[in-house]
Amino acid sequence: MSENVAGKLSFLDRFLTLWIFIAIGVGIALGYFAPAVANFITGLQVGTTSIPIAVGLILMMYPPLARVKYEEMGKVFKNKKLLFISLLQNWVIGPIVMFVLAVIFLHNYPEYMIGVILVGLARCIAMVIVWNELAGGDREFAVGLVAFNAITQVLFYAVYIYFFITLMLNWLGLAKTVNIDISMADSAKTVFIYLGIPFLSGLISRYSLIAWKGEKWFNEVFMPKISPITLIALLFTIVVMFSTQGNKIIESPVDVLIVGIPMTLYFAFMWFATFFIVRKLGGNYPQTCAVSFTAGSNDFELAIAVAIAIWGIGSGQAFATVIGPLIEVPVLIILVNVALKFKNKYFTV
C-alpha cells in the first residue's frame, strides 16, 4: 500500500486485515483453551438461530445502510450507458464469474464452494465508497450506484441464492453431500432478517434524523459515532465463528489459501475488465473508477450473515465467507494504487 493511500484511510480501516487476523487468533485460542466459553456463546439459540450472532450481524449491516444516500440514486440514470454496464457487471457477469471460479477451484470442497458463491452474489454497498474515494473516483455516481445496489439486493438476493445454489449446483450434480435445497422462502426470510431489518432501520433513521437535526449533524456527528459498530460486530462474529472451528484451522491452515485463490482472481478480473470496458466506452477517469470499484468489490457482511443463518456458525460455508474481507481488503487497496497509476497512463489530458 502506498503511503499516500494509507494516509487517507482511517486508523480502523487501514489495519482492517490485521484486526481480522487478530480476531481469528483470539477465536482459535478461545476454542482451544476455553471451549466452555465458546459453547456458552453459541448455545444461546432460538431454534437454529444464535441470538448473539444474529444481533451482531444485524448491527454489522446497519451503519453502511444508514450511510447510503438513497436520494442520490436518480443521478445514475442520467448516464444510461454506464448504468447498463454497472448493472451488467454487478448482477450478471459478477455472479457468473464467481460461480465459475468457485466450481473450478472448490468443487472438491462443496461447503467452501457455496460460501464463495454467496460472496459473489452479494454486491458491495459500503467499502466501495472508501475505495472509490481513495482512487479519486466520481463520488456522486458511486453513491448512486451503491444506493441502487442496496435496493436491488433487498429485492433479488434471495432469488440469486435459489438460482445459483439450489438450482445450478443441483443441475450440475455438485455439492451432493451438502444441504443445498434452500427454498426461495427460506432465502427470503434470511435476507429480510439480516438485510431487510438493517435496511429499513437505516432508511428510517437516516431521513428522520436528517429532518430533525440536519444533514451536517447526521454526516459529521451521528455517522462517525455509529460507524465503528460495523467493525466491532464483524470482529465479534469472527471470534465466535473461529472459536467453533479452531481445530479445523490448526489441522488445515491451507484452507484459507484454498478459499482465497478464487476470490483473489475474482476481484482482480472484475475490476480490470470493468475498468477497460468503461474506458473503451468513453468514460472519464472518475466515472471509470466508480463503476470499476462497484463491480470489483462485494458485501461480505451480508454473505457472512446468510451463511451463518442457513448453514450454521460452524459450517464451511460460514468459514469461507469470513475469508472474504481477509482477501478483499488488501486486494482492493492494491487496486486503488493501480487505478492511480492508470490515471496518469490512460487519462492524461
Side-chain angles (χ1 to χ4, degrees), residues 86-198:
S86 181
L87 289 175
L88 183 67
Q89 293 295 93
N90 274 286
W91 296 103
V92 179
I93 305 301
I96 291 174
V97 168
M98 188 70 103
F99 181 87
V100 171
L101 288 171
V103 169
I104 291 173
F105 287 94
L106 299 171
H107 58 273
N108 292 326
Y109 306 87
E111 292 188 353
Y112 295 165
M113 178 177 64
I114 293 169
V116 169
I117 292 171
L118 282 176
V119 173
L121 300 181
R123 313 317 302 169
C124 192
I125 59 173
M127 287 300 290
V128 62
I129 297 174
V130 176
W131 310 133
N132 180 70
E133 192 76 12
L134 290 174
D138 187 321
R139 181 183 302 171
E140 290 186 350
F141 197 73
V143 168
L145 290 175
V146 164
F148 194 86
N149 277 346
I151 293 173
T152 306
Q153 200 147 253
V154 171
L155 297 175
F156 295 111
Y157 191 62
V159 178
Y160 272 57
I161 292 173
Y162 181 74
F163 177 77
F164 281 97
I165 293 177
T166 300
L167 294 184
M168 289 299 294
L169 291 184
N170 269 318
W171 181 67
L172 292 171
L174 299 169
K176 292 181 179 179
T177 60
V178 181
N179 174 27
I180 56 174
D181 292 321
I182 309 301
S183 71
M184 190 84 73
D186 289 336
S187 298
K189 181 178 68 175
T190 301
V191 170
F192 173 75
I193 292 172
Y194 294 106
L195 184 58
I197 290 176

Side-chain angles (χ1 to χ4, degrees), residues 11 60 68 101 115 138-139 141 150 180 190 198 200 218 220 260 291 326 329:
F11 177 76
M60 182 170 64
V68 172
L101 288 171
D138 187 321
R139 181 183 302 171
F141 197 73
I180 56 174
T190 301
L200 292 173
F218 182 85
E220 297 181 6
V291 180
L326 194 65
V329 173

Side-chain angles (χ1 to χ4, degrees), residues 26 47 87 96 117 119 134 205 212 221 229-230 238 269 271 320 322:
V26 171
L87 289 175
I96 291 174
I117 292 171
V119 173
L134 290 174
S205 61
W212 178 40
V221 178
I229 292 173
T230 295
I238 291 172
F269 173 81
W271 189 89
V322 170

Side-chain angles (χ1 to χ4, degrees), residues 257-271:
L257 179 62
I258 291 171
V259 172
I261 290 173
M263 287 190 181
T264 302
L265 293 174
Y266 167 84
F267 294 133
F269 173 81
M270 289 300 298
W271 189 89

Side-chain angles (χ1 to χ4, degrees), residues 296-342:
S297 53
N298 290 80
D299 185 359
F300 52 79
E301 296 97 336
L302 177 61
I304 291 170
V306 171
I308 291 175
I310 295 178
W311 287 281
I313 194 170
S315 66
Q317 291 91 332
F319 171 82
T321 59
V322 170
I323 303 304
L326 194 65
I327 303 299
E328 179 174 343
V329 173
V331 170
L332 268 294
I333 288 175
I334 291 171
L335 290 175
V336 167
N337 287 282
V338 172
L340 293 171
K341 291 184 184 301
F342 280 180

